[in-house]
Amino acid sequence: MSVTYNEVAVRDTGEVVLSLTGINKRFGAVQALTDVDLTVRAGEVVALVGDNGAGKSTLVKTIAGVYQPDAGVIEFAGSPVTVAGPAGAQHLGIATVFQDLALCDNLDVVANLFLGKEHSLGPLMNEVTMEREAWRLLRSLSAKIPSVRIPVAGLSGGQRQTVAIARSLVGNPKVVMLDEPTAALGVAQTAEVLNLVERLREQGLAVILISHNMADVQAVSDRIVVLRLGRNAAEFTTEEATTDQLVAAITGASDNVVAQRAARRAGPAGHPGHSEGEQ
Amino acid sequence: MTDQLTNQPAVDAADERLVRVVSPGDYLRQLAGRLRGGDLGMLPVIFGLVAICAFFYSQEPTFLSSRSLVTMTLYAAPLGVIALGIVLVLLLGEIDLSVGTVSGFTSATTAVMFVSHGQPLALSVLAAIALGALIGAGYAVLFVWVGVPSFVFTLAGLLAFEGALYWVLGDQGTINLPRDSGLPEFTRQKFLSDGQGYALVAVVVAVYVGSRLWTIRQKRAAGLTPPNLLGVIVKGAALAIGLGWLTYYLGIDRGWGYLPVLFAGLVVLMDLLLRRTRWGRYVYAVGGNEEAARRAGIRVGLVYGSVFVLCSTFAALGGVLVAGQLTTVSQSSGTTDTNLTAIAAAVIGGTSLFGGRGSAYSALLGILVLQAIRTGLNLMNVDSDVRLIVTGAVLLLAVAIDSVARRARSSSGRG
Ligand SMILES: Nc1ncnc2c1ncn2[C@@H]1O[C@H](COP(=O)(O)OP(=O)(O)OP(=O)(O)O)[C@@H](O)[C@H]1O
Ligand SMILES: [Mg+2]
């Protein structure tokens, strides 16, 4: 990985910003989430990992107000809240990059970035300040976007993803949730997103990061929460977790000592993040 | 970082892949590229309008006489108002099939209140408009809360409000508005004087150029590429000459009627609302990707609701204006081809049936095309059956252009 990462332990843990207890969510015959707990503190990056269909996106959408949980309590800054809808989540200061990006193809980059949070100039929108701010945000992500006045449909997959990430930074969020933000990104842009995650943490924001890339997860997160089949499967402090342990927890082999050993032996010796994770 | 930005000439022109537009040649090349990419905008309809006018002029030179043009602007306006509402609904990817009968029903209400019950004219007109808004609110409830598709409830409305029209008219069948009352006067006999016409043109041009100059200043101050000053001047001059000449030419006969001026004002107002306000932005967003709009925190139901209310309100206003123009309300008010004309106008004007793409000006251009066809064929003494066939063909052509453009867009990345 090209990202340098050090000084994990110098931060003191902030207060709990977001806390979920006993979240259940069911889609017809599918119980997507069962009694899921999750806690995020200010200035902390929590990685949410799990296999495909583990329920990660469902959990994120529940926090973002897209879905209503069937049961469970969401506490924000210490008090229980109902996130009635996406507007409610925004109002609380929860910003989300959705896995499917949720961009309007017919609108240009500026319009997408500020959708729902337009700058006003009397009764009208202030296009000039929005455009200027758009360039600033995109620059900070090393975005390679030729023009912010072209419809989003004309952008490449990675450019669209960058726009979606930049959008989560508009306004002053307290919690930023990134659902596979680097899936389509190039090397430099991935590094920028990881840098961004670290900057957000330094600014005292709470970050929830979903990724299938264990190297990225281990590079930037403080804690790793593993979901499996819609349940809390394991939780690690990033410094203590090895890649193999993570993989085992994700695939469901952690409760089986033999499988765990086998997985460990089969894994290549010089796994990234392996050596510094071990004590 | 911010300081860095201010030192650079323009933050938005830094990417080397960006095709720079400096000379008029660049501008034309960019335009050609846009067209090839399916970003047609209103060019097909402008081209079509010119072709139609040229054709009818070659057949019957009086087609472009001042008198004929003035009459066209008068007759186009009320249906244009209805088409304006259709544009809004289409922008959301929905449809309203009932604007015709809603316009008939509400105008009948005005006529009954004003003529049969002797209520003040203003009150009668306001009642019709309020009734239109109420119908739209009903549609909004059906759509947002009950979840009925717009095609279905407006089809129901199409039938129901025709029934309501008969019911309101009772056994009278036809109600004539006194020709010297305010409504027929406004729609038929009120015209701007030459001086007023030129003054209006001057104001329009001044506002246009002023707002562009202001944008240039703002953008320059923010370190962004400002619009080309020469381009603004050229466009402003073209606007001044075009509108000025039109005012002169219409002035040979009666000049600008109050009615077309009202319609044009509504078009400009809706264009401003759509392009420059949050509400308009949300209309496009919901039309483009409803789920994305919802996740951005937009109250999608309110957007749908406001548009259905506006559409029915425009239908009611248009109906009242038609009634004033014909000085009569009858059982056929709004039923014959009002729906067809209003919906066709919006589509012909370039508003996409697929949602999220279009402009308030498409109501203006579309209704001009249809009115030109109607007037031209009338002058050539062609029966209305031919007119319907021609109108249908033009509509089909417009939808075909829309569909082809959509395919070109998806292959050239313009959404
Ligand atoms: N809208 C929905 N309707 C029905 N079922 C759903 C819906 N959304 C998610 N599910 C189901 O819930 C489960 C969890 O899905 P989710 O999208 O949360 O997985 P994920 O962990 O994000 O997976 P991935 O890594 O592939 O993104 C899946 O079994 C999926 O089929
Ligand atoms: Mg997912």
Side-chain angles (χ1 to χ4, degrees):
Chain A
M1 243 358 271
S2 57
V3 187
T4 53
Y5 179 68
N6 35 31
E7 305 164 341
V8 183
V10 289
R11 271 160 292 96
D12 50 332
T13 42
E15 58 201 81
V16 174
V17 182
L18 186 68
S19 149
L20 295 95
T21 15
I23 298 292
N24 282 276
K25 179 67 192 173
R26 181 177 175 154
F27 296 108
V30 181
Q31 185 73 35
L33 297 175
T34 314
D35 291 332
V36 174
D37 300 342
L38 181 73
T39 304
V40 199
R41 295 165 190 281
E44 185 186 38
V45 178
V46 174
L48 195 59
V49 299
D51 254 340
N52 293 132
K56 308 179 295 291
S57 299
T58 307
L59 188 62
V60 160
K61 286 183 188 166
T62 308
I63 301 171
V66 176
Y67 298 145
Q68 298 305 310
D70 300 330
V73 182
I74 301 178
E75 281 179 45
F76 191 83
S79 45
V81 290
T82 33
V83 188
Q90 265 179 26
H91 191 71
L92 289 173
I94 301 174
T96 315
V97 179
F98 294 100
Q99 190 170 12
D100 60 5
L101 304 186
L103 299 171
C104 288
D105 277 349
N106 58 331
L107 297 182
D108 65 21
V109 176
V110 177
N112 268 289
L113 281 179
F114 292 89
L115 195 58
K117 297 174 219 130
E118 289 80 2
H119 293 183
S120 294
L121 188 70
L124 307 181
M125 294 183 293
N126 193 339
E127 295 282 356
V128 174
T129 60
M130 285 197 286
E131 188 169 335
R132 192 183 155 75
E133 178 72 5
W135 279 112
R136 196 186 64 73
L137 285 169
L138 293 171
R139 279 286 161 84
S140 73
L141 292 170
S142 308
K144 296 275 180 292
I145 291 178
S147 163
V148 292
R149 286 298 177 193
I150 49 177
V152 163
L155 301 181
S156 77
Q159 289 171 331
R160 292 161 62 90
Q161 199 150 38
T162 311
V163 172
I165 294 170
R167 182 157 101 182
S168 69
L169 305 179
V170 175
N172 284 316
K174 296 192 181 68
V175 179
V176 176
M177 301 192 288
L178 306 155
D179 192 348
E180 302 195 23
T182 56
L185 294 189
V187 184
Q189 287 74 28
T190 302
E192 285 299 347
V193 170
L194 298 181
N195 286 343
L196 166 77
V197 168
E198 290 182 338
R199 279 209 303 278
L200 294 178
R201 171 171 52 201
E202 275 154 28
Q203 290 164 21
L205 273 72
V207 181
I208 298 176
L209 174 71
I210 296 180
S211 176
H212 287 297
N213 186 329
M214 289 308 128
D216 290 359
V217 163
Q218 288 173 321
V220 292
S221 70
D222 300 309
R223 245 178 338 119
I224 303 176
V225 173
V226 184
L227 285 188
R228 188 170 69 244
L229 301 176
R231 292 173 188 274
N232 283 102
E235 187 169 333
F236 301 96
T237 312
T238 304
E239 295 124 78
E240 290 166 0
T242 66
T243 308
D244 295 337
Q245 275 176 325
L246 279 174
V247 172
I250 290 168
T251 55
S254 67
D255 47 351
N256 182 335
V257 184
V258 181
Q260 200 181 352
R261 279 188 64 82
R264 199 177 277 166
R265 219 176 264 162
H271 240 288
H274 190 271
S275 46
E276 74 251 38
E278 213 116 75
Q279 284 164 341
Chain B
M1 188 175 325
T2 328
D3 298 335
Q4 252 177 15
L5 293 188
T6 33
N7 293 339
Q8 284 162 352
V11 284
D12 51 354
D15 197 302
E16 62 208 33
R17 287 165 303 172
L18 195 63
V19 184
R20 230 138 299 189
V21 181
V22 183
S23 72
D26 290 342
Y27 184 78
L28 286 182
R29 259 191 299 282
Q30 194 194 35
L31 193 67
R34 255 177 48 195
L35 292 185
R36 243 176 284 124
D39 196 358
L40 302 180
M42 284 178 295
L43 264 157
V45 60
I46 292 174
F47 183 78
L49 190 59
V50 171
I52 289 166
C53 289
F55 172 77
F56 284 122
Y57 180 69
S58 70
Q59 298 295 310
E60 179 59 68
T62 55
F63 175 77
L64 286 184
S65 69
S66 176
R67 180 168 189 78
S68 154
L69 287 188
V70 169
T71 310
M72 267 193 255
T73 60
L74 285 179
Y75 279 102
L79 287 173
V81 172
I82 302 178
L84 201 52
I86 293 290
V87 167
L88 294 175
V89 180
L90 287 183
L91 280 179
L92 290 179
E94 300 299 330
I95 187 68
D96 188 340
L97 300 171
S98 69
V99 282
T101 52
V102 167
S103 76
F105 166 55
T106 49
S107 63
T109 310
T110 299
V112 168
M113 279 181 73
F114 178 56
V115 178
S116 310
H117 294 281
Q119 299 291 329
L121 179 65
L123 185 69
S124 312
V125 170
L126 278 181
I129 289 171
L131 199 57
L134 201 66
I135 292 168
Y139 285 168
V141 167
L142 283 172
F143 186 84
V144 178
W145 285 337
V146 187
V148 185
S150 60
F151 177 81
V152 175
F153 61 70
T154 58
L155 192 61
L158 167 73
L159 299 170
F161 292 116
E162 185 163 354
L165 167 68
Y166 297 162
W167 177 71
V168 169
L169 287 177
D171 37 41
Q172 291 164 293
T174 304
I175 298 177
N176 292 314
L177 300 170
R179 286 191 174 233
D180 54 354
S181 61
L183 189 58
E185 264 189 359
F186 175 83
T187 49
R188 297 159 62 91
Q189 284 144 31
K190 293 282 192 188
F191 292 88
L192 296 184
S193 70
D194 278 354
Q196 285 169 329
Y198 289 120
L200 190 63
V201 171
V203 169
V204 168
V205 172
V207 168
Y208 171 77
V209 173
S211 70
R212 295 306 287 167
L213 290 180
W214 190 76
T215 308
I216 289 181
R217 242 191 62 179
Q218 292 289 307
K219 285 211 161 193
R220 199 167 276 153
L224 301 166
T225 314
N228 191 323
L229 183 63
L230 186 68
V232 171
I233 293 172
V234 168
K235 280 184 196 163
L239 193 67
I241 294 170
L243 284 180
W245 182 82
L246 200 59
T247 306
Y248 157 77
Y249 194 69
L250 293 182
I252 298 175
D253 190 59
R254 287 156 288 172
W256 288 108
Y258 278 20
L259 186 53
V261 169
L262 171 71
F263 171 49
L266 285 175
V267 169
V268 172
L269 177 69
M270 288 319 295
D271 182 60
L272 183 75
L273 290 177
L274 282 173
R275 286 189 309 114
R276 293 275 174 254
T277 68
R278 287 165 167 240
W279 172 80
R281 177 65 44 89
Y282 296 167
V283 169
Y284 282 103
V286 172
N289 186 343
E290 187 193 334
E291 182 58 24
R294 178 174 289 122
R295 291 204 206 151
I298 294 171
R299 288 197 277 178
V300 175
L302 274 186
V303 176
Y304 279 113
S306 62
V307 165
F308 279 119
V309 168
L310 270 177
C311 180
S312 298
T313 308
F314 278 131
L317 177 61
V320 169
L321 295 175
V322 171
Q325 197 162 54
L326 303 176
T327 66
T328 174
V329 174
S330 71
Q331 294 196 337
S332 67
S333 286
T335 55
T336 44
D337 58 357
T338 310
N339 262 333
L340 174 113
T341 312
I343 297 173
V347 176
I348 289 170
T351 293
S352 173
L353 287 167
F354 307 105
R357 208 170 284 279
S359 136
Y361 285 101
S362 53
L364 176 69
L365 289 166
I367 202 68
L368 284 180
V369 166
L370 291 180
Q371 189 60 48
I373 292 172
R374 182 189 297 243
T375 306
L377 293 179
N378 269 347
L379 282 176
M380 289 168 66
N381 283 320
V382 181
D383 289 336
S384 70
D385 44 1
V386 177
R387 181 171 63 77
L388 287 176
I389 293 171
V390 170
T391 307
V394 171
L395 175 64
L396 193 63
L397 187 70
V399 176
I401 290 174
D402 179 27
S403 306
V404 171
R406 189 166 124 105
R407 229 178 307 147
R409 276 199 303 271
S410 59
S411 69
S412 73
R414 287 172 186 275

